[in-house]
Amino acid sequence: MSHVQCLPPELLSYVLELACIAEVPAQTQAAHILGRVSKLWRETVFSTPAIWTTFYISKIGDPRSFDVPLLRSGALPVDVRVVDEATKLKAAREQLEALARHSARWKNVEISHPDAFDLLGKAIPLSLPTLQSLAVKITCQRLSPSLMYFYSFPEYSSAPDIDLEWKSRLYPSLRQLDLFDIEVRPSETEDFLGFLHAHDGLERLALRNIWQYDPYTPPRTVVLPKLKELELRGISSSEVLRWINAPNLQKLVVEKSSQPRYWTTVDIKSNYATANDVTLIRFSTAPDALRNVLGAVPLTSHLKLASTDLRVRYSFCAESILTENELPLLASLHIQGIASMPRLKAVVETYEKTLRSVKIHCLDLGLPEESFIKDYSERDEALAWMKDQTTFKFDIDHSPDAFGGRYQSHEDQKCRRKMLCPGERCGTRR
Protein backbone atom coordinates (compact mmCIF):
# COMPACT_ATOMS: atom_id res chain seq x y z
CA MET A 1 0.00 0.00 0.00
CA SER A 2 2.92 2.35 0.67
CA HIS A 3 3.95 2.25 -2.99
CA VAL A 4 0.45 3.19 -4.09
CA GLN A 5 0.44 6.15 -1.73
CA CYS A 6 3.56 7.44 -3.47
CA LEU A 7 1.86 7.67 -6.87
CA PRO A 8 1.49 11.18 -8.31
CA PRO A 9 -2.05 12.53 -7.74
CA GLU A 10 -2.76 12.66 -11.50
CA LEU A 11 -1.75 9.02 -11.99
CA LEU A 12 -3.70 7.82 -8.94
CA SER A 13 -6.76 9.70 -10.17
CA TYR A 14 -6.48 8.05 -13.59
CA VAL A 15 -6.05 4.56 -12.07
CA LEU A 16 -9.11 4.98 -9.85
CA GLU A 17 -11.11 6.31 -12.78
CA LEU A 18 -10.29 3.19 -14.84
CA ALA A 19 -11.16 0.97 -11.86
CA CYS A 20 -14.59 2.57 -11.57
CA ILE A 21 -15.30 2.40 -15.30
CA ALA A 22 -14.49 -1.31 -15.26
CA GLU A 23 -17.34 -1.89 -12.78
CA VAL A 24 -20.07 -0.59 -15.06
CA PRO A 25 -22.97 -0.39 -14.35
CA ALA A 26 -22.01 -0.29 -10.64
CA GLN A 27 -19.64 2.60 -11.30
CA THR A 28 -20.94 4.81 -8.47
CA GLN A 29 -20.91 1.96 -5.95
CA ALA A 30 -17.32 1.13 -6.93
CA ALA A 31 -16.31 4.74 -6.34
CA HIS A 32 -17.75 4.68 -2.82
CA ILE A 33 -16.00 1.39 -2.04
CA LEU A 34 -12.64 2.69 -3.27
CA GLY A 35 -13.17 5.82 -1.21
CA ARG A 36 -13.14 3.72 1.95
CA VAL A 37 -9.62 2.43 1.39
CA SER A 38 -7.87 5.51 2.77
CA LYS A 39 -8.27 9.21 3.25
CA LEU A 40 -6.11 9.90 0.19
CA TRP A 41 -8.20 7.63 -2.01
CA ARG A 42 -11.43 9.14 -0.73
CA GLU A 43 -10.23 12.66 -1.51
CA THR A 44 -8.99 11.55 -4.93
CA VAL A 45 -12.22 9.76 -5.84
CA PHE A 46 -14.44 12.62 -4.73
CA SER A 47 -12.30 15.20 -6.54
CA THR A 48 -12.13 13.35 -9.88
CA PRO A 49 -15.14 14.58 -11.92
CA ALA A 50 -14.74 11.95 -14.68
CA ILE A 51 -15.71 9.18 -12.22
CA TRP A 52 -19.17 10.72 -11.70
CA THR A 53 -20.28 11.29 -15.31
CA THR A 54 -22.35 8.15 -16.00
CA PHE A 55 -25.87 7.81 -14.61
CA TYR A 56 -27.87 4.57 -14.74
CA ILE A 57 -31.62 4.43 -14.38
CA SER A 58 -32.55 1.37 -12.32
CA LYS A 59 -35.54 -0.10 -10.52
CA ILE A 60 -34.00 0.75 -7.14
CA GLY A 61 -32.77 4.19 -8.19
CA ASP A 62 -33.80 7.28 -6.28
CA PRO A 63 -33.95 10.63 -8.12
CA ARG A 64 -32.46 12.33 -5.07
CA SER A 65 -29.37 10.09 -5.25
CA PHE A 66 -28.23 11.93 -8.40
CA ASP A 67 -27.68 15.27 -6.64
CA VAL A 68 -24.25 14.55 -5.13
CA PRO A 69 -22.77 12.77 -8.22
CA LEU A 70 -23.99 15.63 -10.42
CA LEU A 71 -22.23 18.10 -8.13
CA ARG A 72 -19.01 16.06 -8.14
CA SER A 73 -19.04 15.76 -11.95
CA GLY A 74 -18.47 19.50 -12.19
CA ALA A 75 -19.16 20.88 -15.65
CA LEU A 76 -18.22 17.71 -17.58
CA PRO A 77 -20.66 16.14 -20.06
CA VAL A 78 -22.65 13.23 -18.64
CA ASP A 79 -24.00 9.95 -20.04
CA VAL A 80 -27.52 8.71 -19.30
CA ARG A 81 -28.35 5.02 -19.65
CA VAL A 82 -31.68 3.24 -19.20
CA VAL A 83 -30.72 -0.42 -19.61
CA ASP A 84 -32.46 -2.09 -16.64
CA GLU A 85 -35.50 -3.75 -18.20
CA ALA A 86 -37.01 -4.38 -14.76
CA THR A 87 -37.37 -0.64 -14.11
CA LYS A 88 -41.01 0.43 -14.05
CA LEU A 89 -42.02 3.18 -16.45
CA LYS A 90 -42.99 5.59 -13.69
CA ALA A 91 -39.69 5.13 -11.83
CA ALA A 92 -37.69 5.58 -15.04
CA ARG A 93 -39.51 8.79 -15.91
CA GLU A 94 -39.00 10.22 -12.42
CA GLN A 95 -35.27 9.57 -12.53
CA LEU A 96 -34.95 11.02 -16.03
CA GLU A 97 -36.86 14.12 -14.96
CA ALA A 98 -34.36 14.60 -12.12
CA LEU A 99 -31.47 14.41 -14.61
CA ALA A 100 -33.27 16.65 -17.11
CA ARG A 101 -32.40 19.68 -14.97
CA HIS A 102 -28.85 19.17 -16.25
CA SER A 103 -29.86 18.21 -19.82
CA ALA A 104 -27.52 20.87 -21.22
CA ARG A 105 -24.66 18.52 -20.28
CA TRP A 106 -26.08 15.28 -21.72
CA LYS A 107 -23.56 13.76 -24.14
CA ASN A 108 -24.66 10.15 -24.73
CA VAL A 109 -28.14 8.72 -24.14
CA GLU A 110 -28.92 5.01 -24.34
CA ILE A 111 -32.41 3.61 -23.77
CA SER A 112 -32.89 -0.16 -23.98
CA HIS A 113 -36.22 -0.80 -22.33
CA PRO A 114 -39.70 -2.25 -23.05
CA ASP A 115 -41.13 1.28 -22.72
CA ALA A 116 -38.42 2.99 -24.75
CA PHE A 117 -41.00 4.60 -27.08
CA ASP A 118 -42.78 6.23 -24.15
CA LEU A 119 -39.51 7.37 -22.55
CA LEU A 120 -38.29 8.94 -25.78
CA GLY A 121 -41.58 10.75 -26.28
CA LYS A 122 -42.14 12.03 -22.75
CA ALA A 123 -38.88 11.91 -20.77
CA ILE A 124 -36.15 12.93 -23.24
CA PRO A 125 -35.96 16.72 -23.67
CA LEU A 126 -36.62 18.12 -27.13
CA SER A 127 -33.46 20.24 -27.01
CA LEU A 128 -30.08 18.77 -26.01
CA PRO A 129 -27.28 21.10 -27.16
CA THR A 130 -24.34 18.76 -26.36
CA LEU A 131 -25.91 15.40 -27.26
CA GLN A 132 -23.62 13.38 -29.53
CA SER A 133 -25.12 9.88 -29.42
CA LEU A 134 -28.73 8.73 -29.08
CA ALA A 135 -29.59 5.01 -29.05
CA VAL A 136 -33.18 3.92 -28.40
CA LYS A 137 -34.22 0.27 -28.49
CA ILE A 138 -37.45 -1.41 -27.50
CA THR A 139 -36.78 -4.70 -25.73
CA CYS A 140 -39.18 -7.48 -24.86
CA GLN A 141 -40.43 -7.90 -21.33
CA ARG A 142 -38.64 -10.85 -19.80
CA LEU A 143 -40.90 -13.49 -18.30
CA SER A 144 -40.27 -15.32 -15.07
CA PRO A 145 -39.61 -19.09 -15.31
CA SER A 146 -43.04 -19.79 -13.87
CA LEU A 147 -44.73 -17.90 -16.73
CA MET A 148 -42.63 -19.44 -19.51
CA TYR A 149 -44.86 -22.51 -19.34
CA PHE A 150 -47.90 -20.47 -20.38
CA TYR A 151 -46.23 -18.11 -22.89
CA SER A 152 -44.12 -19.47 -25.74
CA PHE A 153 -42.53 -16.13 -26.63
CA PRO A 154 -42.21 -12.87 -24.72
CA GLU A 155 -44.40 -10.13 -26.10
CA TYR A 156 -43.12 -6.78 -27.32
CA SER A 157 -44.97 -3.76 -26.03
CA SER A 158 -46.98 -2.05 -28.76
CA ALA A 159 -46.15 1.53 -29.63
CA PRO A 160 -48.31 3.91 -27.56
CA ASP A 161 -50.22 6.75 -29.16
CA ILE A 162 -47.50 9.33 -28.52
CA ASP A 163 -46.21 11.98 -30.88
CA LEU A 164 -42.40 11.88 -30.84
CA GLU A 165 -42.34 15.44 -32.22
CA TRP A 166 -39.46 14.90 -34.64
CA LYS A 167 -40.06 18.35 -36.08
CA SER A 168 -39.37 19.99 -32.70
CA ARG A 169 -36.32 17.98 -31.64
CA LEU A 170 -33.02 19.83 -31.85
CA TYR A 171 -29.72 18.10 -31.16
CA PRO A 172 -27.11 20.24 -32.97
CA SER A 173 -24.11 18.13 -31.85
CA LEU A 174 -25.67 14.75 -32.76
CA ARG A 175 -23.21 12.41 -34.47
CA GLN A 176 -24.77 8.96 -33.94
CA LEU A 177 -28.43 7.92 -34.06
CA ASP A 178 -29.63 4.33 -33.46
CA LEU A 179 -33.38 3.59 -33.46
CA PHE A 180 -34.53 -0.02 -33.02
CA ASP A 181 -38.27 -0.82 -33.28
CA ILE A 182 -39.20 2.84 -32.75
CA GLU A 183 -42.09 3.09 -35.15
CA VAL A 184 -42.30 6.04 -37.52
CA ARG A 185 -45.86 6.20 -38.79
CA PRO A 186 -46.55 7.16 -42.42
CA SER A 187 -47.88 10.54 -41.28
CA GLU A 188 -44.60 11.17 -39.42
CA THR A 189 -42.21 10.16 -42.22
CA GLU A 190 -41.87 13.70 -43.58
CA ASP A 191 -41.15 15.09 -40.10
CA PHE A 192 -38.56 12.38 -39.43
CA LEU A 193 -36.76 13.10 -42.69
CA GLY A 194 -36.85 16.76 -41.77
CA PHE A 195 -35.20 15.84 -38.47
CA LEU A 196 -32.43 14.03 -40.35
CA HIS A 197 -32.00 17.00 -42.69
CA ALA A 198 -31.61 19.35 -39.72
CA HIS A 199 -28.92 17.07 -38.27
CA ASP A 200 -26.71 16.70 -41.33
CA GLY A 201 -23.65 16.26 -39.10
CA LEU A 202 -24.59 12.62 -38.47
CA GLU A 203 -21.72 10.17 -38.93
CA ARG A 204 -23.61 6.97 -38.11
CA LEU A 205 -27.29 6.20 -38.68
CA ALA A 206 -28.89 2.86 -37.76
CA LEU A 207 -32.62 2.30 -38.29
CA ARG A 208 -34.19 -1.07 -37.55
CA ASN A 209 -37.87 -1.89 -38.03
CA ILE A 210 -38.99 1.70 -37.72
CA TRP A 211 -41.39 1.58 -40.68
CA GLN A 212 -43.83 -1.17 -39.74
CA TYR A 213 -46.42 -0.40 -42.40
CA ASP A 214 -46.38 0.64 -46.03
CA PRO A 215 -44.25 3.78 -45.85
CA TYR A 216 -45.34 7.02 -47.38
CA THR A 217 -43.07 8.00 -50.26
CA PRO A 218 -41.78 11.54 -49.67
CA PRO A 219 -41.01 13.82 -52.61
CA ARG A 220 -37.41 14.52 -51.53
CA THR A 221 -34.11 12.95 -50.59
CA VAL A 222 -32.16 13.90 -47.46
CA VAL A 223 -28.44 14.55 -48.01
CA LEU A 224 -26.13 13.62 -45.11
CA PRO A 225 -22.64 14.69 -46.25
CA LYS A 226 -20.76 13.47 -43.15
CA LEU A 227 -22.44 10.08 -42.85
CA LYS A 228 -19.88 7.25 -42.79
CA GLU A 229 -22.01 4.32 -41.67
CA LEU A 230 -25.63 3.58 -42.61
CA GLU A 231 -27.61 0.59 -41.33
CA LEU A 232 -31.15 -0.02 -42.57
CA ARG A 233 -32.73 -3.20 -41.15
CA GLY A 234 -36.20 -4.61 -41.58
CA ILE A 235 -36.95 -2.29 -44.48
CA SER A 236 -40.38 -3.00 -45.95
CA SER A 237 -39.93 -1.20 -49.28
CA SER A 238 -37.08 -0.53 -51.67
CA GLU A 239 -38.26 3.08 -51.87
CA VAL A 240 -36.60 3.70 -48.51
CA LEU A 241 -33.20 3.39 -50.21
CA ARG A 242 -33.91 6.61 -52.12
CA TRP A 243 -34.67 8.70 -49.05
CA ILE A 244 -31.06 9.11 -47.86
CA ASN A 245 -28.13 10.33 -49.91
CA ALA A 246 -24.71 9.81 -48.30
CA PRO A 247 -22.01 11.12 -50.69
CA ASN A 248 -19.16 10.06 -48.36
CA LEU A 249 -20.54 6.76 -47.08
CA GLN A 250 -18.10 3.99 -46.19
CA LYS A 251 -20.20 1.20 -44.66
CA LEU A 252 -23.69 0.16 -45.79
CA VAL A 253 -25.90 -2.51 -44.18
CA VAL A 254 -29.33 -3.21 -45.69
CA GLU A 255 -31.76 -5.88 -44.50
CA LYS A 256 -35.04 -6.24 -46.33
CA SER A 257 -38.10 -7.45 -44.49
CA SER A 258 -39.35 -10.99 -44.97
CA GLN A 259 -42.24 -9.62 -47.06
CA PRO A 260 -40.98 -9.14 -50.66
CA ARG A 261 -44.18 -7.50 -51.89
CA TYR A 262 -42.83 -3.94 -51.95
CA TRP A 263 -39.28 -4.75 -53.01
CA THR A 264 -39.19 -3.86 -56.70
CA THR A 265 -36.72 -2.26 -59.06
CA VAL A 266 -35.76 1.20 -57.82
CA ASP A 267 -33.28 3.77 -59.09
CA ILE A 268 -30.92 4.44 -56.18
CA LYS A 269 -28.77 6.70 -58.35
CA SER A 270 -25.48 7.58 -56.62
CA ASN A 271 -26.81 7.73 -53.07
CA TYR A 272 -24.26 5.21 -51.78
CA ALA A 273 -21.68 5.26 -54.56
CA THR A 274 -18.69 5.65 -52.20
CA ALA A 275 -19.52 2.70 -49.92
CA ASN A 276 -16.73 0.12 -49.81
CA ASP A 277 -18.06 -2.17 -47.03
CA VAL A 278 -21.49 -3.55 -47.95
CA THR A 279 -23.69 -6.09 -46.15
CA LEU A 280 -26.96 -7.24 -47.73
CA ILE A 281 -29.37 -9.47 -45.81
CA ARG A 282 -32.39 -11.46 -47.11
CA PHE A 283 -32.02 -10.37 -50.71
CA SER A 284 -32.43 -13.84 -52.25
CA THR A 285 -36.17 -13.28 -52.75
CA ALA A 286 -35.63 -9.87 -54.39
CA PRO A 287 -33.13 -10.40 -57.23
CA ASP A 288 -34.01 -7.12 -58.98
CA ALA A 289 -33.38 -5.15 -55.80
CA LEU A 290 -30.10 -7.00 -55.28
CA ARG A 291 -28.99 -6.04 -58.79
CA ASN A 292 -29.94 -2.41 -58.11
CA VAL A 293 -27.97 -2.21 -54.87
CA LEU A 294 -24.87 -3.91 -56.26
CA GLY A 295 -25.00 -1.61 -59.27
CA ALA A 296 -25.17 1.42 -56.97
CA VAL A 297 -22.03 0.50 -54.98
CA PRO A 298 -19.31 0.11 -57.63
CA LEU A 299 -16.46 0.79 -55.16
CA THR A 300 -17.30 -2.15 -52.89
CA SER A 301 -14.21 -3.95 -51.64
CA HIS A 302 -15.84 -5.93 -48.78
CA LEU A 303 -19.14 -7.65 -49.54
CA LYS A 304 -21.23 -9.84 -47.25
CA LEU A 305 -24.43 -11.57 -48.37
CA ALA A 306 -26.35 -13.08 -45.48
CA SER A 307 -29.63 -14.90 -45.84
CA THR A 308 -31.31 -18.00 -44.50
CA ASP A 309 -33.46 -18.58 -47.55
CA LEU A 310 -30.84 -18.87 -50.30
CA ARG A 311 -30.86 -22.64 -49.81
CA VAL A 312 -34.50 -22.99 -50.78
CA ARG A 313 -34.96 -25.11 -53.88
CA TYR A 314 -36.43 -22.41 -56.10
CA SER A 315 -34.69 -19.35 -54.66
CA PHE A 316 -32.64 -17.04 -56.81
CA CYS A 317 -28.90 -17.59 -56.53
CA ALA A 318 -26.79 -14.60 -55.49
CA GLU A 319 -23.78 -16.17 -57.20
CA SER A 320 -25.32 -15.57 -60.63
CA ILE A 321 -25.93 -11.89 -59.86
CA LEU A 322 -22.36 -11.46 -58.65
CA THR A 323 -21.10 -12.86 -61.90
CA GLU A 324 -23.32 -10.53 -63.93
CA ASN A 325 -22.63 -7.37 -61.87
CA GLU A 326 -18.87 -7.27 -61.58
CA LEU A 327 -17.36 -5.19 -58.78
CA PRO A 328 -13.86 -4.18 -59.96
CA LEU A 329 -12.45 -3.57 -56.46
CA LEU A 330 -13.91 -6.58 -54.64
CA ALA A 331 -11.28 -7.94 -52.25
CA SER A 332 -13.34 -9.73 -49.58
CA LEU A 333 -16.41 -11.90 -50.16
CA HIS A 334 -18.47 -13.39 -47.32
CA ILE A 335 -21.55 -15.44 -48.24
CA GLN A 336 -23.88 -17.11 -45.77
CA GLY A 337 -26.29 -19.41 -47.54
CA ILE A 338 -24.62 -20.35 -50.84
CA ALA A 339 -26.69 -22.55 -53.14
CA SER A 340 -23.83 -24.22 -54.97
CA MET A 341 -20.10 -24.58 -54.37
CA PRO A 342 -19.40 -24.88 -58.12
CA ARG A 343 -21.22 -21.58 -58.68
CA LEU A 344 -19.22 -19.97 -55.90
CA LYS A 345 -16.09 -21.22 -57.62
CA ALA A 346 -17.25 -19.49 -60.80
CA VAL A 347 -17.69 -16.23 -58.85
CA VAL A 348 -14.20 -16.54 -57.36
CA GLU A 349 -12.75 -17.15 -60.81
CA THR A 350 -14.49 -13.98 -62.01
CA TYR A 351 -12.79 -11.93 -59.27
CA GLU A 352 -9.52 -13.83 -59.04
CA LYS A 353 -7.47 -10.71 -59.81
CA THR A 354 -8.79 -8.73 -56.84
CA LEU A 355 -10.06 -11.25 -54.25
CA ARG A 356 -7.95 -11.67 -51.14
CA SER A 357 -10.45 -13.30 -48.78
CA VAL A 358 -13.41 -15.67 -49.23
CA LYS A 359 -15.59 -16.89 -46.36
CA ILE A 360 -18.55 -19.24 -46.35
CA HIS A 361 -20.40 -21.06 -43.56
CA CYS A 362 -20.13 -24.65 -42.44
CA LEU A 363 -23.82 -25.31 -43.01
CA ASP A 364 -23.34 -24.59 -46.71
CA LEU A 365 -21.13 -27.66 -46.99
CA GLY A 366 -23.87 -29.97 -45.82
CA LEU A 367 -27.28 -30.14 -47.43
CA PRO A 368 -30.61 -29.52 -45.72
CA GLU A 369 -32.99 -32.43 -45.37
CA GLU A 370 -35.24 -31.17 -48.16
CA SER A 371 -32.36 -30.81 -50.63
CA PHE A 372 -32.82 -32.43 -54.01
CA ILE A 373 -29.06 -32.65 -54.66
CA LYS A 374 -27.54 -36.02 -53.87
CA ASP A 375 -24.25 -35.93 -55.76
CA TYR A 376 -21.44 -34.46 -53.67
CA SER A 377 -18.64 -34.95 -56.21
CA GLU A 378 -18.88 -31.51 -57.85
CA ARG A 379 -19.16 -29.83 -54.48
CA ASP A 380 -16.13 -31.66 -53.09
CA GLU A 381 -14.12 -30.86 -56.23
CA ALA A 382 -14.96 -27.15 -55.97
CA LEU A 383 -14.20 -27.18 -52.24
CA ALA A 384 -10.81 -28.76 -52.81
CA TRP A 385 -10.04 -26.18 -55.49
CA MET A 386 -10.94 -23.32 -53.13
CA LYS A 387 -8.73 -24.69 -50.37
CA ASP A 388 -5.77 -25.11 -52.72
CA GLN A 389 -5.73 -21.51 -53.93
CA THR A 390 -2.88 -19.29 -52.69
CA THR A 391 -3.99 -15.91 -54.04
CA PHE A 392 -6.73 -15.53 -51.41
CA LYS A 393 -7.55 -16.75 -47.91
CA PHE A 394 -10.41 -19.24 -47.73
CA ASP A 395 -12.30 -19.56 -44.43
CA ILE A 396 -15.26 -21.61 -43.30
CA ASP A 397 -17.13 -19.84 -40.52
CA HIS A 398 -19.66 -21.25 -38.09
CA SER A 399 -23.36 -21.06 -38.97
CA PRO A 400 -25.75 -19.82 -36.29
CA ASP A 401 -29.16 -21.43 -36.10
CA ALA A 402 -32.47 -19.56 -36.15
CA PHE A 403 -32.09 -18.57 -32.50
CA GLY A 404 -28.46 -17.41 -32.77
CA GLY A 405 -27.08 -20.59 -31.22
CA ARG A 406 -24.79 -23.21 -32.69
CA TYR A 407 -25.74 -26.07 -34.93
CA GLN A 408 -24.80 -29.30 -33.20
CA SER A 409 -24.54 -31.48 -36.32
CA HIS A 410 -24.84 -31.54 -40.11
CA GLU A 411 -26.83 -33.75 -42.41
CA ASP A 412 -23.72 -34.39 -44.47
CA GLN A 413 -21.49 -36.93 -42.71
CA LYS A 414 -18.49 -35.83 -44.79
CA CYS A 415 -18.54 -32.39 -43.18
CA ARG A 416 -18.28 -33.95 -39.73
CA ARG A 417 -15.43 -36.24 -40.71
CA LYS A 418 -13.40 -33.49 -42.34
CA MET A 419 -13.92 -31.15 -39.35
CA LEU A 420 -14.20 -28.19 -41.69
CA CYS A 421 -15.70 -25.86 -39.11
CA PRO A 422 -12.91 -24.31 -37.01
CA GLY A 423 -12.71 -24.83 -33.30
CA GLU A 424 -14.66 -28.11 -33.36
CA ARG A 425 -17.78 -26.14 -32.53
CA CYS A 426 -20.11 -28.06 -34.80
CA GLY A 427 -17.99 -30.85 -36.22
CA THR A 428 -19.24 -33.39 -33.71
CA ARG A 429 -22.52 -33.93 -31.95
CA ARG A 430 -22.57 -32.73 -28.37
Side-chain angles (χ1 to χ4, degrees), residues 186-413:
S187 59
E188 301 171 339
T189 299
E190 190 67 33
D191 291 344
F192 180 73
L193 293 179
F195 169 83
L196 295 180
H197 177 72
H199 298 81
D200 56 3
L202 279 169
E203 298 177 0
R204 168 183 160 81
L205 177 62
L207 307 176
R208 178 181 298 176
N209 298 327
I210 70 169
W211 287 287
Q212 301 291 346
Y213 306 102
D214 302 346
Y216 161 72
T217 303
R220 63 168 178 169
T221 298
V222 176
V223 180
L224 301 176
K226 297 183 179 180
L227 194 65
K228 303 297 182 182
E229 183 175 345
L230 175 62
E231 183 175 335
L232 302 173
R233 289 180 173 268
I235 303 302
S236 58
S237 170
S238 55
E239 290 290 337
V240 176
L241 299 177
R242 300 200 301 181
W243 295 357
I244 300 175
N245 184 355
N248 296 299
L249 190 67
Q250 296 178 1
K251 183 176 182 180
L252 174 66
V253 179
V254 181
E255 176 189 6
K256 61 175 288 296
S257 65
S258 57
Q259 173 58 261
R261 176 182 177 185
Y262 300 102
W263 275 87
T264 57
T265 302
V266 59
D267 184 11
I268 308 175
K269 300 181 180 179
S270 59
N271 289 9
Y272 317 117
T274 60
N276 53 44
D277 189 343
V278 179
T279 299
L280 304 177
I281 306 171
R282 290 186 175 180
F283 271 79
S284 62
T285 55
D288 292 335
L290 179 58
R291 285 194 182 95
N292 289 151
V293 176
L294 290 180
V297 288
L299 301 181
T300 300
S301 59
H302 302 277
L303 176 63
K304 179 178 180 180
L305 300 178
S307 177
T308 57
D309 52 11
L310 277 176
R311 303 299 303 277
V312 180
R313 180 179 301 189
Y314 301 108
S315 67
F316 197 93
C317 298
E319 294 90 335
S320 301
I321 297 180
L322 282 174
T323 305
E324 297 171 3
N325 296 267
E326 188 171 350
L327 302 171
L329 302 179
L330 186 62
S332 174
L333 177 61
H334 182 180
I335 299 184
Q336 178 184 358
I338 63 173
S340 168
M341 281 296 296
R343 288 188 179 183
L344 178 61
K345 176 186 174 183
V347 172
V348 173
E349 290 176 335
T350 303
Y351 296 95
E352 62 180 351
K353 294 183 179 180
T354 59
L355 269 180
R356 295 297 177 264
S357 174
V358 178
K359 180 184 291 186
I360 62 174
H361 284 247
C362 57
L363 189 62
D364 301 325
L365 302 177
L367 296 176
E369 295 180 359
E370 66 273 13
S371 175
F372 60 95
I373 302 177
K374 297 302 180 182
D375 186 6
Y376 293 89
S377 58
E378 291 186 2
R379 184 212 63 180
D380 292 340
E381 181 181 349
L383 178 61
W385 181 87
M386 299 279 287
K387 295 174 66 176
D388 292 340
Q389 298 304 303
T390 58
T391 57
F392 61 85
K393 181 181 179 182
F394 179 60
D395 290 327
I396 301 175
D397 200 4
H398 187 78
S399 295
D401 60 17
F403 300 96
R406 296 174 175 175
Y407 279 106
Q408 303 301 321
S409 62
H410 293 299
E411 186 271 339
D412 182 10
Q413 299 292 333

Side-chain angles (χ1 to χ4, degrees), residues 7 28 56 67 78 89 98 156 161 221 245 275 277 354 421 424:
L7 289 176
T28 304
Y56 286 87
D67 295 340
V78 299
L89 176 60
Y156 286 84
D161 188 15
T221 298
N245 184 355
D277 189 343
T354 59
C421 187
E424 300 185 4

Side-chain angles (χ1 to χ4, degrees), residues 109 111 120 133-137 174-182 202 204-208 210 229 231:
V109 175
I111 303 177
L120 176 61
S133 173
L134 175 62
V136 186
K137 176 182 179 181
L174 191 63
R175 296 294 176 266
Q176 177 173 325
L177 176 63
D178 293 16
L179 298 178
F180 293 170
D181 299 304
I182 301 298
L202 279 169
R204 168 183 160 81
L205 177 62
L207 307 176
R208 178 181 298 176
I210 70 169
E229 183 175 345
E231 183 175 335

Side-chain angles (χ1 to χ4, degrees), residues 31-276:
H32 285 291
I33 293 175
L34 292 175
R36 299 172 185 172
V37 173
S38 67
K39 181 180 179 180
L40 175 61
W41 281 32
R42 181 169 60 254
E43 294 176 351
T44 303
V45 168
F46 290 169
S47 61
T48 304
I51 294 179
W52 309 93
T53 56
T54 303
F55 296 87
Y56 286 87
I57 308 300
S58 65
K59 62 179 181 180
I60 60 174
D62 185 351
R64 294 172 296 181
S65 65
F66 296 144
D67 295 340
V68 175
L70 283 169
L71 182 62
R72 291 173 180 167
S73 63
L76 292 181
V78 299
D79 298 339
V80 178
R81 306 192 185 281
V82 188
V83 294
D84 185 358
E85 298 177 358
T87 306
K88 298 298 183 180
L89 176 60
K90 181 180 179 181
R93 290 181 60 180
E94 290 176 352
Q95 296 175 58
L96 286 172
E97 289 173 359
L99 292 172
R101 293 193 293 269
H102 300 265
S103 60
R105 296 165 52 197
W106 287 15
K107 180 181 179 181
N108 301 301
V109 175
E110 178 186 0
I111 303 177
S112 182
H113 192 272
D115 296 305
F117 193 100
D118 193 301
L119 293 175
L120 176 61
K122 294 185 177 181
I124 302 300
L126 297 180
S127 178
L128 296 172
T130 61
L131 184 67
Q132 295 185 10
S133 173
L134 175 62
V136 186
K137 176 182 179 181
I138 294 181
T139 60
C140 61
Q141 183 66 48
R142 295 182 179 179
L143 300 177
S144 63
S146 60
L147 294 177
M148 290 297 292
Y149 178 79
F150 300 98
Y151 300 94
S152 301
F153 298 96
E155 296 185 355
Y156 286 84
S157 57
S158 57
D161 188 15
I162 298 175
D163 185 3
L164 295 181
E165 301 183 68
W166 293 111
K167 185 183 298 185
S168 303
R169 293 187 180 272
L170 182 61
Y171 308 138
S173 302
L174 191 63
R175 296 294 176 266
Q176 177 173 325
L177 176 63
D178 293 16
L179 298 178
F180 293 170
D181 299 304
I182 301 298
E183 181 183 338
V184 176
R185 300 178 178 89
S187 59
E188 301 171 339
T189 299
E190 190 67 33
D191 291 344
F192 180 73
L193 293 179
F195 169 83
L196 295 180
H197 177 72
H199 298 81
D200 56 3
L202 279 169
E203 298 177 0
R204 168 183 160 81
L205 177 62
L207 307 176
R208 178 181 298 176
N209 298 327
I210 70 169
W211 287 287
Q212 301 291 346
Y213 306 102
D214 302 346
Y216 161 72
T217 303
R220 63 168 178 169
T221 298
V222 176
V223 180
L224 301 176
K226 297 183 179 180
L227 194 65
K228 303 297 182 182
E229 183 175 345
L230 175 62
E231 183 175 335
L232 302 173
R233 289 180 173 268
I235 303 302
S236 58
S237 170
S238 55
E239 290 290 337
V240 176
L241 299 177
R242 300 200 301 181
W243 295 357
I244 300 175
N245 184 355
N248 296 299
L249 190 67
Q250 296 178 1
K251 183 176 182 180
L252 174 66
V253 179
V254 181
E255 176 189 6
K256 61 175 288 296
S257 65
S258 57
Q259 173 58 261
R261 176 182 177 185
Y262 300 102
W263 275 87
T264 57
T265 302
V266 59
D267 184 11
I268 308 175
K269 300 181 180 179
S270 59
N271 289 9
Y272 317 117
T274 60
N276 53 44

